[in-house]
Every structure is written in C-alpha cells, then in structure tokens.
Amino acid sequence: MIQRVLLACRGEIALRFIRTAQRLGIETIVVFDVEEKTAPFVMAATYRIQSDILNPFASPDYLLAIADEYSADAIAPGYGPLAENADFAKACVDAGILFIGPNISSLRLVGNKIEARQLAISVGIPVISGAAVTSLTEAQELAAGIGYPVLLKAANGGGGRGIRLAESHNMLERVWKEVARESLAAFGTADLYIERFLGDNIRHIEVQILADATGNVIALGERGCSIQRRRQKMVEESPAPGIDATLSKKISESAVKFARAAGYTSAGTVEFLIDISGQFYFIEMNGRIQVEHPVTEAVAGIDIVEAMFAIAEKKPFSDDILNTTTYGHAIEFRICAEDPFQEFMPMGGVITACNFPHGPGVRIDTGIAENQIQLTRYDSLCLKLIVWGKHRDEAISRARAALDELLIAGLPTNLPFHRWLIDHAPFSTGNYDLSLTSSYHPEPPDETFQRDIAIAVALREYLAMTAISEDVATSSLFSNWRLMNERGVSYGR
C-alpha cells in the first residue's frame, strides 16, 4: 500500500493529486519555489520542501534524493515535465519507488511517435501518410511524394511542441533546422518524421483509457479537443460534438486495441484526427494523465487519479470501473495567464483578487490564490473551469454563467476569449473544427477601461496595506484558503 507520495509536479495538478491522496489516507510531499510558498498545492501538502534549484520538476536526481530523504514509497509526476520520461520511471523503479504512471516499456514505446505510429499500422489502425526521416534530403524527397504542405514532427515531441508546418520545398529546409534544434533541446533527440498536413478543417479527438496490470483495458469515451492555439488545447468537451455513435465506437475500439498492443498500464490518452469525410487517423498516445481528465471524470463519475494509484499497486479494476458508463455532457475551459489581445502571449504577475464561480455542475481545479505570484518560467495555466450538464445545452448555459462569475485580477488572462467563444455560433452549436480560433480577432480594451482597472487595483492594494497595519490580514488569508478547500463539488447528477 502506498503510504507517502512525492509529487513531481506543481500547481493545480499537484493539488488534484493531494485531494485524492488525502481521501485515501496517503501522505503527500511537495517541492516548491520560494515565490510559491503560499500556493494552494503547498499549503495542502503533508510535507513541504523549498527547492534550492531552479525548476526542480525537471531534475530527476534532485527529486529522487528528496524521495529517499523523506521515505516516499511512490512518485507521481502528474502531467509535469517528467511524466513521460521513461528513464525517470526506470530510476524510480530501480530505487524501489512506485512510479504513478505507465510501465517503463510501454512508456518508452508510446513516447516515441515513430514507434507508436508503426505499432498502430501493425494492428490495422489508420495513420496519416508519412514516415520517419533521417536527413533533410530524405525529408525533401518524402515531402515531394506526399505533396505539400507537410508537418515535420519531433519523434519524442508532445504538448504542441516540436511541430512545424512546411508549405513548400524552400520552406522545408528552414523548418527542418527549427524542429531538429527544438527537439534536441527539449527532448534530447533530433529524430523527426513527416506527415501530410490535413488542413485546419479537421477535428482533434482523443480517447481516455485506463489499463490495469491484469490486462483489463477500458475506454471512458472520447473528448473533443479542437479549440486550440499554437497547437495547444484551450477547451475540451465530452462527448465530442459531431461524432455519431458508430464513429465513436470505432475510435474507442481503436484506442483500446492500441493500448493493449503497447502493453500499456495506467491512465493514458490515444489521440486521433478526423477529416472532413469522417475518416479518422491515429496520431499519438500520451502516456500520462491529461490536463483535461476532469471532463471524463464528470461524465464517467470516477476518480482517475484514484485509479492510477490502484493500478500502480497492481490492483485489478473493480466491477464499478469495468462497468463504467458515461452520462451527460462536460466542458473544460483552461484559464491561462495569457494576453488574448497580444496573440495569447504568456504573462506573469501578482494575482490581486480572484473569485470562483459556484453552482450545480460547476467544478474548479485551481493552482492559484489571492496574493500569489504567477511565474512565467512555468506553464501559464492558472485554473480549469469544468461544467457538467444533463446535455450539451445545459452545460453551455452553466458555462456561460460561470465564466461571467469568474474573476482573476492583477494580470491578463484568456477569459475574454472564453467569454467570446461561449456565444460564438460554431462553438455553441457544436459545429466547429481546428480552424475556429482563426476567427477570433479581439479589439483591445479602450484606455479609459484600462485606467479604471488600474485605479481599482491600486485602491485594493491600499486597502490591503491598511488591513495589514491593523493586524487583520492573516485571518482574511486563512479564511480564503479554507473557503477554497472546503467548497463542495457537484456535477448535478
């Protein structure tokens, strides 16, 4: 039995693991930067270790030393930078520590997009035309045969990184150098492959799977992930709109077939593209828990993190999990510290105020709190708003109200985009694809509005300083923390 787990991650996903661990009676260890010493995930943990290095979440040796010092019997990387690192998983196992994630061999396999693609082909799952390439000349020859435009991808890429579009022969040389350089720096290898570019009038669909150590593999329905910027997801929903029951069944069966062929265990996501004719293609498998896992939890009614702990302990699935069915519709909105008026440029700063929505079917997974610094050296995600309804229209209605109620002050966020999206006809009707975000052209707030915001923030800072001088700030901060963590979550089911 797992008794103490080190979280090799931060922010909302660390807090997400802590909440389930607390319910299971598991102690938690977190590592944090000095700027985040009062962050929600730090305050909630059993043991808190202030890091003395920059970005400890990308340092396997540093984390393993802490795990040894604090007698952790498990490490959970969440969706942090080490989540899909097979060498880190092996180092955990070699140290006698459970890795809360896939087994080493399957993690290594699915982490290499070229090998994953070959596995999909071997079990009869459709893939996009393309192949691995080892030189620019080979890439140019293959691209000429496939036909431009093409996508050049890093074999070990992920999260939207290591992908570039080449629209011509002349462009491919520059793109080749960019992707090779990024791949080597980010993933430690310059292995690349080329695929035919299907265009933007396609949909991105993924299937959540769970697989235990006894051979059980189940699919928990598909998620639509076609609202993206810079090839990174912004909104996800389940079930995916525009997918009929027959196509949904085929895609889920393909996901299970692939995971089983890979010998996969733990939670994972098999990803597909669907073209305008309705043909689907395997693109990759993410060997970790996804940012958007709450969408599936909402419609399936299970705790995916709890399942990951159980799988790591070699427990077979319970009948409840094996017989899981989905009900209703859920949507997740990623609220990020990005300026939608400057092409979603990541931003940092101090969160001077925040207000989270309440109500039936509303869930907030947050990594922020008032007076906390949002660091630019990490991912820009602040929190996730998840809404559930008995059907999509109800989920949309609840999302609209929740987005109106949600407030984050002190730094720019992408909230204006989400408020635009919820009433944008292609999205509200469910008739959208990857091209949707190209129609977003916001006008920046006028100077008077920005001035009023600056005055309001300055006034709040003044009042806060006055409160501190009167020794009342501490009780206020504790009250905010308590409210955040004692708020019940309801999906309205």
Side-chain angles (χ1 to χ4, degrees):
M1 288 287 293
I2 298 171
Q3 296 181 327
R4 185 176 297 170
V5 60
L6 169 66
L7 300 172
C9 52
R10 55 173 291 282
E12 68 85 17
I13 190 61
L15 185 57
R16 171 70 189 85
F17 269 80
I18 289 169
R19 284 173 171 156
T20 291
Q22 287 174 336
R23 184 168 55 79
L24 298 176
I26 299 172
E27 294 181 331
T28 54
I29 309 166
V30 298
V31 183
F32 64 92
D33 295 297
V34 62
E35 301 99 324
E36 294 191 307
K37 62 184 177 182
T38 60
F41 81 95
V42 178
M43 300 298 290
T46 313
Y47 301 96
R48 309 158 192 165
I49 297 91
Q50 183 175 314
S51 174
D52 52 14
I53 66 170
L54 191 66
N55 193 5
F57 311 104
S59 177
D61 292 341
Y62 186 78
L63 293 171
L64 284 167
I66 291 174
D68 179 61
E69 180 180 354
Y70 282 81
S71 301
D73 44 26
I75 291 182
Y79 53 72
L82 295 175
E84 295 180 275
N85 187 318
D87 291 335
F88 177 61
K90 183 177 186 303
C92 291
V93 173
D94 290 346
I97 299 171
L98 287 178
F99 179 77
I100 310 300
N103 61 74
I104 299 166
S105 61
S106 66
L107 184 57
R108 203 177 297 281
L109 189 159
V110 303
N112 185 299
K113 305 300 187 287
I114 297 172
E115 292 184 15
R117 174 188 168 89
Q118 289 303 122
L119 179 63
I121 293 171
S122 72
V123 294
I125 300 173
V127 299
I128 302 168
S129 299
V133 287
T134 57
S135 68
L136 175 59
T137 300
E138 188 179 351
Q140 290 170 332
E141 291 175 353
L142 180 60
I146 294 174
Y148 288 95
V150 296
L151 284 176
L152 190 62
K153 296 184 175 183
N156 289 67
R161 296 178 300 167
I163 304 176
R164 295 287 192 284
L165 175 66
E167 298 183 283
S168 66
H169 176 86
N170 293 335
M171 190 176 180
L172 183 59
E173 182 175 358
R174 174 176 61 80
V175 168
W176 172 274
K177 293 177 181 178
E178 289 177 358
V179 177
R181 184 168 55 248
E182 181 180 358
S183 177
L184 188 61
F187 311 115
T189 173
D191 293 342
L192 308 177
Y193 68 106
I194 280 182
E195 284 184 350
R196 177 167 57 91
F197 180 56
L198 299 180
D200 290 323
N201 298 318
I202 57 175
R203 285 171 290 170
H204 187 159
I205 306 296
E206 63 186 22
V207 177
Q208 175 71 62
I209 67 101
L210 286 176
D212 68 17
T214 69
N216 292 309
V217 183
I218 62 170
L220 298 174
E222 83 281 346
R223 297 187 290 249
C225 310
S226 297
I227 306 298
Q228 301 183 13
R229 54 92 180 92
R230 295 192 295 272
R231 305 190 190 282
Q232 293 181 323
K233 302 162 189 171
M234 302 173 73
V235 176
E236 303 90 0
E237 57 180 311
S238 183
I243 305 296
D244 62 32
T246 300
L247 183 55
S248 175
K249 186 172 184 290
K250 288 181 180 179
I251 293 174
S252 289
E253 288 174 346
S254 293
V256 169
K257 181 189 293 186
F258 179 86
R260 183 167 281 123
Y264 193 86
T265 53
S266 194
T269 304
V270 187
E271 309 213 6
F272 302 87
L273 294 178
I274 302 177
D275 66 19
I276 56 176
S277 72
Q279 175 61 54
F280 68 91
Y281 304 91
F282 168 88
I283 51 173
E284 65 182 10
M285 181 175 190
N286 287 313
R288 55 177 165 80
I289 193 168
Q290 294 278 84
V291 175
E292 59 270 25
H293 75 274
V295 173
T296 297
E297 290 185 328
V299 296
I302 66 171
D303 184 331
I304 291 175
V305 173
E306 180 180 359
M308 293 178 71
F309 279 124
I311 293 167
E313 293 177 322
K314 310 298 183 186
K315 294 178 181 177
F317 287 148
S318 66
D319 289 341
D320 286 345
I321 290 182
L322 289 173
N323 298 318
T324 297
T325 58
T326 59
Y327 172 66
H329 197 100
I331 310 173
E332 175 183 283
F333 300 84
R334 301 191 190 190
I335 311 302
C336 300
E338 297 175 353
D339 191 342
F341 305 110
Q342 298 188 59
E343 298 183 345
F344 297 100
M345 180 185 296
M347 308 295 285
V350 178
I351 296 162
T352 57
C354 52
N355 180 70
F356 300 146
H358 305 261
V362 176
R363 166 178 167 179
I364 293 284
D365 280 17
T366 183
I368 64 168
E370 287 187 10
N371 304 312
Q372 181 183 323
I373 297 175
Q374 178 72 15
L375 301 172
T376 54
R377 65 175 174 268
Y378 294 125
D379 186 85
S380 63
L381 182 66
C382 294
L383 61 86
K384 303 179 306 198
L385 166 65
I386 305 100
V387 292
W388 178 92
K390 293 185 292 295
H391 44 72
R392 191 171 189 268
D393 287 346
E394 184 174 63
I396 291 282
S397 177
R398 287 175 170 176
R400 183 180 295 109
L403 287 166
D404 285 343
E405 189 178 341
L406 180 57
L407 166 71
I408 300 174
L411 75 173
T413 71
N414 61 357
L415 263 171
F417 168 80
H418 291 301
R419 289 169 179 157
W420 167 84
L421 178 71
I422 201 70
D423 289 318
H424 187 51
F427 179 77
S428 60
T429 60
N431 185 27
Y432 66 91
D433 53 38
L434 284 170
S435 67
L436 185 145
T437 52
S438 64
S439 60
Y440 180 63
H441 304 291
E443 294 186 8
D446 61 47
E447 292 183 6
T448 301
F449 179 68
Q450 295 185 62
R451 183 199 63 193
D452 291 344
I453 291 177
I455 292 172
V457 170
L459 177 60
R460 186 182 188 281
E461 287 297 302
Y462 171 76
L463 293 174
M465 291 302 296
T466 303
I468 290 172
S469 68
E470 296 174 359
D471 294 324
V472 297
T474 302
S475 62
S476 174
L477 288 174
F478 272 74
S479 176
N480 286 341
W481 167 249
R482 192 156 49 244
L483 283 171
M484 286 176 59
N485 286 276
E486 291 180 359
R487 184 185 306 123
V489 174
S490 168
Y491 289 116
R493 292 178 65 170

